[in-house]
Amino acid sequence: MSLVFTTFFFVTGCALAGLSYMIFRIGDALSDCPATGRAAKAGSLTIVTGFVAIGTGAVMIIAAGIFTALAGINVETVLAAIGVSLLGLGLGFTHAIATLRDVVAQAAARSATT
């Protein structure tokens, strides 16, 4: 039983860490511009913080819901929980990157008007 939970949290934790790292890397790539660099760095740090907090909470809620709803703990239950969690993390990642792009676009617009 504990191996099931360990496997679930290991896979989703690795996904959360990997996606968070990618947000940092994308923010770092966007920080090359002198006009928007500071906004990209600050935005990526802020967005990763929110992504990790919300992502961890979502993984916990999904784990509780799926492991409770599907009473038998078996391979299918674990795969369903992992799949739903990774789907949620992927959607959150997509939103996080869109938010980062918006932060950089707003900084570029402010830079262009001054």
Side-chain angles (χ1 to χ4, degrees):
M1 175 78 109
S2 65
L3 180 62
V4 169
F5 292 116
T6 302
T7 301
F8 170 77
F9 287 114
F10 177 75
V11 170
T12 55
C14 286
L16 187 63
L19 292 172
S20 298
Y21 178 73
M22 286 307 299
I23 295 170
F24 273 130
R25 295 291 299 159
I26 292 168
D28 188 46
L30 292 173
S31 69
D32 288 341
C33 176
T36 61
R38 289 181 35 181
K41 286 186 179 190
S44 66
L45 179 61
T46 304
I47 291 165
V48 165
T49 303
F51 177 73
V52 168
I54 292 170
T56 302
V59 165
M60 295 293 190
I61 290 171
I62 290 168
I66 288 182
F67 288 133
T68 301
L70 305 175
I73 301 293
N74 52 27
V75 174
E76 292 83 11
T77 305
V78 175
L79 291 177
I82 290 172
V84 172
S85 295
L86 294 180
L87 177 65
L89 290 174
L91 291 171
F93 175 78
T94 303
H95 181 70
I97 294 305
T99 303
L100 182 58
R101 289 180 64 202
D102 186 50
V103 165
V104 172
Q106 288 178 12
R110 279 192 306 271
S111 175
T113 60
T114 57

